[in-house]
Amino acid sequence: MAEPAGQPMVMPQTWTAEQKLFPYQVGFTCPPFDFDAAPSDFLRMAPETVGVHGWMLHVPDYQHGLDQRKQNFGTLEDFVHCMARNGVDVAGQVGSNWVHASGLGVAGIRDHCRRLSDRYGVAFHMAGYTMVEALREMNVEKVALNAAYHWPDWWRGTVGFLEEAGFDVLWAGNFADQGWFSSQEEVNAKRWIFDGDLARKSFQYVAERAPDADAYLINGMCNFRSGPNGQPQRPVHLAGELEAMLGKPVIGHDIALYWRLFKSLGIAPAIPRGRLLESLRHA
């Protein structure tokens, strides 16, 4: 039946269990101009009781600069507010550099996430900070960072954020530093998608430089052509294989974010994807 003329539909301020499409509802956002795999990856490993919705940040002149992340930091509150009005239980921000680009520091980011969570009644998590939470959960002290495609100022910002959080970063460097490409420009030209065998080769390289690390990390949302017919896959798909090779935990910003979202929901992934996510199945 149509609404009477002049009587707008009034949406609920909060959603009851009977009104929600899924018992567990998750929202993701990502930087402008990035078709992001996080909603797909998360949903494919989640139980059928989980639903996912995505919302790309809208910044028309965005060029992936750290200064632009700081200038547009307030758009994250718009995202959380929007997701809260749509019945989301937990919201995740993709883009690891936003935490250090903000200038808020580790404690400031923690407080910012808590403040938005409390204000809108939605657990809000940022990928860069979930890495810190994951390492603390696993009692890790010494790490080495496979900085993948990240520009030097990007990955150095991540190193600084990790060190501020109390971790000992034994080694860090991107694919150009590791010698797989002759310049950062060659790395950039790949648009963050690399040959499938580079995941294994690059982690072997990092492990040789930092054999005493408690865990090996990978920056950002790197993709490797390791899937069927060369389909790009993020580190979450490769964690088990890489951990078997290295004998230690492998944690990417994608893995850490998904772990924190599942943890807030109080459920575990239906498909195991490495030690960190597997730990939820035994909690």
Side-chain angles (χ1 to χ4, degrees):
M1 179 182 296
E3 291 290 323
Q7 297 294 321
M9 180 179 180
V10 178
M11 298 299 292
Q13 292 295 315
T14 58
W15 294 78
T16 66
E18 291 75 17
Q19 293 169 324
K20 291 167 62 176
L21 299 181
F22 300 91
Y24 304 101
Q25 299 192 156
V26 181
F28 281 95
T29 194
C30 68
F33 311 121
D34 287 347
F35 188 95
D36 188 61
S40 300
D41 283 345
F42 187 86
L43 187 60
R44 287 169 180 170
M45 75 174 80
E48 292 187 3
T49 51
V50 175
V52 173
H53 190 61
W55 194 70
M56 185 178 291
L57 298 179
H58 181 61
V59 183
D61 62 346
Y62 192 76
Q63 297 292 327
H64 292 288
L66 293 180
D67 58 337
Q68 288 185 307
R69 289 162 169 81
K70 185 173 184 178
Q71 292 164 11
N72 292 282
F73 198 75
T75 59
L76 298 179
E77 181 165 0
D78 295 337
F79 159 67
V80 179
H81 186 191
C82 177
M83 288 297 167
R85 290 297 306 273
N86 284 278
V88 160
D89 302 300
V90 60
Q93 177 264 333
V94 175
S96 59
N97 289 316
W98 288 64
V99 293
H100 64 79
S102 72
L104 295 176
V106 175
I109 288 293
R110 177 202 64 200
D111 294 343
H112 179 73
C113 292
R114 289 177 178 175
R115 185 164 55 251
L116 292 187
S117 299
D118 292 343
R119 181 177 299 166
Y120 297 107
V122 172
F124 173 58
H125 301 296
M126 298 182 68
Y129 186 68
T130 62
M131 178 70 84
V132 170
E133 294 180 294
L135 295 175
R136 288 173 174 169
E137 179 82 4
M138 300 188 80
N139 296 314
V140 165
E141 297 179 357
K142 297 180 291 185
V143 300
L145 177 65
N146 185 350
Y149 61 89
H150 276 202
W151 280 253
D153 56 341
W154 290 18
W155 67 256
R156 287 171 186 152
T158 296
V159 168
F161 194 79
L162 291 170
E163 289 178 338
E164 182 185 342
F167 302 106
D168 185 5
V169 182
L170 303 182
W171 190 88
N174 67 11
F175 290 155
D177 300 315
Q178 296 170 28
W180 310 116
F181 296 89
S182 62
S183 68
Q184 184 65 43
E185 288 70 28
E186 285 191 14
V187 176
N188 299 348
K190 291 291 186 178
R191 294 299 297 265
W192 313 331
I193 301 175
F194 302 90
D195 292 342
D197 63 350
L198 185 55
R200 172 178 286 271
K201 292 192 300 184
S202 62
F203 270 101
Q204 285 177 329
Y205 182 99
V206 173
E208 289 169 0
R209 266 87 195 144
D212 295 330
D214 301 321
Y216 295 106
L217 317 181
I218 184 166
N219 237 344
M221 297 293 180
C222 192
N223 296 273
F224 301 95
R225 294 194 180 281
S226 52
N229 299 314
Q231 181 174 323
Q233 291 183 320
R234 284 189 170 162
V236 68
H237 295 272
L238 307 173
E241 172 190 340
L242 294 170
E243 288 175 341
M245 177 184 75
L246 300 171
K248 294 179 182 179
V250 170
I251 305 172
H253 282 104
D254 58 336
I255 298 169
L257 178 61
Y258 306 155
W259 163 80
R260 194 63 185 86
L261 297 175
F262 278 121
K263 187 176 176 68
S264 285
L265 292 172
I267 60 176
I271 301 173
R273 297 288 191 192
R275 296 188 190 183
L276 179 63
L277 284 164
E278 182 69 14
S279 69
L280 294 171
R281 294 162 63 89
H282 305 291

